[in-house]
Amino acid sequence: MAVIRGLVLLFLVFSLEYAAAKVMCNPPWTRGGPFPTTHPQTRKITTPAKTCTFGWNRFGAKCYRFFPQAVNWAIAEKTCENNGATLASVRSKVQNDFLLSLLPGSTQAWIGGHDGEVDGQWLWVTGYPFGYTNWCPKEPNNAGRPENCLEINWTQNRCWNDAPCSATIGFICSKRRRS
Ligand SMILES: [Ca+2]
Ligand SMILES: [Ca+2]
């Protein structure tokens, strides 16, 4: 009896495997079904209604937050990373204006620009080179010593300045919106 039960079980397993193999060898579009625009296994699932966590401000696909504690640029970036973020990058005037709106009054803040690798070649922490810029007149100028980090809201013009990375000011982090 046990032998027969074993044989039946074996037959069932083989039948199921054969059926599975048949489906894999003959996807729907080869049997007259619609041809998928993306492979079923790589199709992305879009999740609407992404929001920012409390204390973060939405702009485009990201969330931004001003941290008022005065720290040097490296600690600012590290603090952002500890919050699942990076120092903010800027790609347009609208975005620059948005970042300025997060700052109280004339407070300066670090964002994610630096020319620490090659002087004069400004990069974002994401690795992208600068496109849009809002430098103050005669900046960046390495004034009297290396100035390799980017601060915003400099002077009454609220423009950009290269400052020594060891200076201690607040900073703005950005991170992707969560689902
Ligand atoms: Ca520099
Ligand atoms: Ca400067």
Side-chain angles (χ1 to χ4, degrees):
M1 200 62 189
V3 174
I4 293 168
R5 204 180 301 141
L7 281 172
V8 169
L9 199 65
L10 212 59
F11 174 74
L12 277 172
V13 168
F14 271 112
S15 309
L16 283 172
E17 277 188 358
Y18 176 70
K22 209 174 160 189
V23 167
M24 283 174 75
C25 292
N26 297 291
W29 59 92
T30 63
R31 288 180 267 125
F35 191 84
T37 48
T38 53
H39 192 278
Q41 284 164 347
T42 57
R43 195 181 295 148
K44 282 182 183 162
I45 298 162
T46 49
T47 45
K50 288 182 174 179
T51 55
C52 293
T53 44
F54 181 76
W56 294 72
N57 306 275
R58 182 179 161 180
F59 181 88
K62 291 188 174 178
C63 305
Y64 297 80
R65 182 172 186 170
F66 170 61
F67 290 78
Q69 54 262 46
V71 294
N72 67 40
W73 189 90
I75 291 178
E77 171 59 12
K78 189 71 195 159
T79 308
C80 290
E81 287 174 17
N82 290 343
N83 284 274
T86 61
L87 282 170
S89 310
V90 180
R91 295 210 180 110
S92 66
K93 182 182 186 305
V94 179
Q95 192 178 13
N96 191 62
D97 290 345
F98 169 76
L99 294 190
L100 290 174
S101 76
L102 301 178
L103 303 177
S106 59
T107 309
Q108 281 92 45
W110 294 127
I111 58 169
H114 67 91
D115 72 337
E117 288 169 34
V118 179
D119 198 60
Q121 285 186 19
W122 286 86
L123 299 171
W124 297 112
V125 287
T126 51
Y128 287 99
F130 281 20
Y132 166 85
T133 61
N134 186 39
W135 293 113
C136 294
K138 297 181 181 170
E139 303 291 348
N141 62 354
N142 289 316
R145 54 177 169 168
E147 293 190 318
N148 296 343
C149 289
L150 177 61
E151 67 173 334
I152 61 169
N153 209 14
W154 179 249
T155 75
Q156 287 181 340
N157 293 329
R158 311 195 79 189
C159 41
W160 294 6
N161 175 43
D162 61 338
C165 300
S166 57
T168 52
I169 54 176
F171 53 98
I172 299 174
C173 303
S174 77
K175 63 180 178 181
R176 294 224 153 264
R177 281 191 274 146
R178 69 189 170 92
S179 52

